Amino acid sequence: PPPVAAKPIKTDTAKVRHIAPILVTKPTPAKKVKIQRTPDTLERRRREKATIMKGGKLDFTRNRYDIQKITPRGTIIESSYSFDPETVKAIIVSDTGSLEVVHKTDKELLQQFRRERRKRRWGTVKEFAKYSLSLYGGYKLGKSGLLGFKVNLKF
């Protein structure tokens, strides 16, 4: 005879006040459809014969970008590119290891320069305000006599 399942000793019931409605959504049409002209096997064979990127390292201390590529024969090629970090907007690297650098426009560079100049000016104003307030506070403390002595300054 087949084994008989044991009956549970105690069962728990959960009380629910209301049941949430089930939302049924229809799929929206695709915004972009990619159609491959070549079959997957041909694409894979083409990739096996192409140069593949092994790794890349972005070094901001030396302003350099290093790329390592592997050829189909297995040799490793290392390339290094130098760039100016203040003028570069984006660095795009493809899967084959080709590098494309997108530079900032003149308008973006001008905005960046103005922003930095504004920060420097506000820093100078803040330092001057701190210095003058500390001098004024020391002068008022000396005039008030709270320190145990009075200072008489004549200008």
Side-chain angles (χ1 to χ4, degrees), residues 93-105:
V93 183
S94 69
D95 57 347
T96 58
S98 62
L99 182 80
E100 182 183 344
V101 179
V102 179
H103 292 280
K104 294 179 183 175
T105 61

Side-chain angles (χ1 to χ4, degrees), residues 143-154:
K143 286 286 257 183
S144 66
L146 291 173
L147 300 174
F149 57 89
K150 281 195 173 183
V151 178
N152 291 326
L153 293 174
K154 295 180 182 178

